[in-house]
Amino acid sequence: MENPSVDANGEKKQPLHTETEVLSEAERDVQALARLGKKPILKAILAGSAYLGGNMILALAKLNHPSYTPELWQGTLVYWGVMAVAILVNTTASKILPKLGAFVLFLHIGGFFATLIPLVHLAPQKVSAHDVFTVFENGGGWPTTTLSVFMAEEIVGANVVVPWCMLSTALLNGILGFGMVIAVLFVTVDISSVLESSTGSLGFPFMQIFYDATGSLSGASAMICIIIFLDFCAAIAFLATSSRIVFAFGRDRGLPFWRTMAKVQSGSAIPMYAIMVMAGVSCAIGLINIGSATAFNIVLSIGVSSLYASYVLTEALLLWHRVRGTIRHRNQMAGTTWHANELVWGPFHVPGIWGILLNAFGVGYGIIVFIFSFFPQTVNPDAAHMNYSCLLTGATMFFAVVYYYVYARKVYTGPVVEIAPYQLS
């Protein structure tokens, strides 16, 4: 079933209450390139989540059977297994996604205490508070100088619900994450031995920490299984989110093969083509892991840098319009005609100078993270441990620019708008 915003000839329907274009051509170009650059980000994040879950399963097997040696092809097979679960849920059981999200929230909070309490209570030795808060270990050799959203279309009241969900998620995970980090630091007596352990060498030292603290393989395995299950749920959520983003970009004619990407399944309204594309590409990326885990991680390394690049672009545009005062308020729209792509404040925003300062802070923070995402873990790394995200990010930006100026700018005119923003309740 075609999206209702595109007619039978593949032509985009005109938005409601549209008169003239307000954004300049340069501003539309920046927005378009930001949107075009997000597709590789989604693939990297989705693939990274499934890869993490698959490798945790192999590391758990290593913890319980020290003689076992994981092979690269086994990691790829388990990786595909995680992707298969995500595909199955998103294509045949999409109606349970909201209930699954509620269950995961409960498990997330309950699992935190189910892990934290035995970890702290059963640990035979603990590090002093002085060492936890004052001792720093520089494992990378660097100088120690001090230095969700596209699912909104399926949410009722998204202009208020989504911002609150974003804030509450960051607050909740920030508190729980900080608490878990402090607990792990208190029970990790010898960091070097943990990193050199059988699971630490596979990239999961926390498994050895759990085992050392509980002294029980079964207890540690149960705690680890909670994390693995949550990672499976994350892969399901990433596939759901990324497929909706691809669908939305296809509907806006901002991606290659946008006519196909803009289709949804009749009856269920599931963007099946978008799901299959995202899952298929992610599974194909897994083949790289069979030949070289280093090459596979190089592909995944694009996630952080490209994600923050897209953040900085959109936040900088919002900051620019804030400073210029070109964003209108809802109460100013009565009796007026809304222009295409004109920005109108929703019910959830921070007005005035505080909003400008928050946006400026967000842009500055994003730039810092973007720059540091290109740094390798250690000084003077070899080829196997070099951070190649700068190369992949540059290549992705080059492809986006070439694609946009060669073809996309001829068909992409901005997001499809089916109702003026001030008409939203």
Side-chain angles (χ1 to χ4, degrees):
M1 182 175 67
E2 294 283 354
N3 185 271
S5 59
V6 180
D7 62 24
N9 298 321
E11 296 297 328
K12 186 187 299 186
K13 294 180 179 179
Q14 292 297 320
L16 298 181
H17 307 286
T18 299
E19 195 173 72
T20 59
E21 293 290 328
V22 172
L23 298 183
S24 67
E25 183 178 356
E27 289 174 320
R28 291 199 301 272
D29 288 351
V30 172
Q31 289 183 343
L33 293 176
R35 294 165 70 84
L36 290 172
K38 281 191 175 182
K39 193 174 180 182
I41 304 172
L42 305 174
K43 294 173 184 175
I45 295 176
L46 175 59
S49 175
Y51 180 69
L52 180 66
N55 276 3
M56 279 197 290
I57 293 175
L58 297 182
L60 179 59
K62 178 69 174 178
L63 178 67
N64 285 272
H65 303 280
S67 60
Y68 166 66
T69 302
E71 301 290 343
L72 292 177
W73 63 269
Q74 294 172 337
T76 297
L77 287 180
V78 182
Y79 165 83
W80 285 344
V82 178
M83 285 300 307
V85 173
I87 295 170
L88 181 65
V89 173
N90 276 276
T91 55
T92 65
S94 60
K95 293 183 179 180
I96 71 169
L97 285 177
K99 296 180 180 179
L100 178 62
F103 172 73
V104 170
L105 176 62
F106 172 79
L107 181 63
H108 181 44
I109 299 175
F112 169 78
F113 292 104
T115 302
L116 181 70
I117 294 174
L119 183 67
V120 176
H121 179 70
L122 298 177
Q125 292 180 290
K126 295 183 178 67
V127 180
S128 67
H130 177 271
D131 289 344
V132 168
F133 293 103
T134 62
V135 176
F136 298 89
E137 294 198 16
N138 184 358
W142 291 103
T144 55
T145 305
T146 302
L147 302 169
S148 296
V149 173
F150 284 86
M151 294 293 288
E153 296 186 2
E154 302 176 29
I155 298 176
V156 178
N159 52 356
V160 175
V161 174
V162 171
W164 275 116
C165 287
M166 295 172 66
L167 289 175
S168 59
T169 298
L171 181 63
L172 175 64
N173 285 287
I175 294 174
L176 297 185
F178 181 76
M180 185 58 70
V181 167
I182 296 300
V184 168
L185 291 176
F186 268 107
V187 302
T188 307
V189 179
D190 188 349
I191 294 179
S192 297
S193 63
V194 169
L195 294 175
E196 295 170 359
S197 65
S198 59
T199 59
S201 61
L202 295 176
F204 302 100
F206 78 91
M207 295 186 178
Q208 186 66 40
I209 295 174
F210 286 5
Y211 176 55
D212 292 342
T214 61
S216 168
L217 278 175
S218 58
S221 297
M223 295 160 64
I224 295 168
C225 284
I226 295 175
I227 299 176
I228 293 176
F229 179 78
L230 289 174
D231 183 85
F232 270 65
C233 295
I236 295 171
F238 283 142
L239 180 57
T241 303
S242 61
S243 62
R244 269 62 175 186
I245 294 177
V246 170
F247 159 76
F249 287 177
R251 176 193 57 192
D252 295 342
R253 309 164 81 177
L255 289 176
F257 309 106
W258 56 268
R259 287 183 177 85
T260 302
M261 296 300 101
K263 294 180 180 179
V264 295
Q265 190 178 47
S266 178
S268 64
I270 297 174
M272 191 66 68
Y273 288 102
I275 291 175
M276 290 297 112
V277 167
M278 292 303 301
V281 172
S282 297
C283 289
I285 292 176
L287 292 171
I288 301 175
N289 186 57
I290 297 177
S292 172
T294 300
F296 181 78
N297 284 303
I298 289 173
V299 175
L300 299 186
S301 67
I302 192 178
V304 175
S305 59
S306 297
L307 191 65
Y308 275 89
S310 67
Y311 289 164
V312 170
L313 284 173
T314 52
E315 290 170 355
L317 285 172
L318 177 59
L319 178 61
W320 171 249
H321 283 285
R322 270 185 179 273
V323 173
R324 294 178 59 196
T326 54
I327 307 178
R328 303 178 69 179
H329 291 272
R330 293 158 63 95
N331 56 12
Q332 298 175 334
M333 302 304 296
T336 64
T337 300
W338 178 69
H339 304 283
N341 292 328
E342 182 179 17
L343 299 179
V344 180
W345 285 119
F348 192 102
H349 74 280
V350 179
I353 186 63
W354 290 109
I356 294 176
L357 292 176
L358 286 173
N359 281 146
F361 175 80
V363 173
Y365 175 81
I367 292 174
I368 292 174
V369 176
F370 176 73
I371 293 174
F372 277 92
S373 68
F374 297 137
F375 281 48
Q377 292 183 349
T378 60
V379 178
N380 301 320
D382 55 21
H385 296 89
M386 179 61 187
N387 187 344
Y388 292 94
S389 59
C390 55
L391 173 63
L392 291 180
T393 302
T396 301
M397 294 176 66
F398 177 78
F399 170 79
V401 170
V402 171
Y403 173 73
Y404 177 71
Y405 281 103
V406 171
Y407 173 74
R409 67 182 306 175
K410 301 175 185 177
V411 296
Y412 177 81
T413 58
V416 171
V417 179
E418 297 175 342
I419 183 171
Y422 63 90
Q423 294 178 324
L424 296 174
S425 58

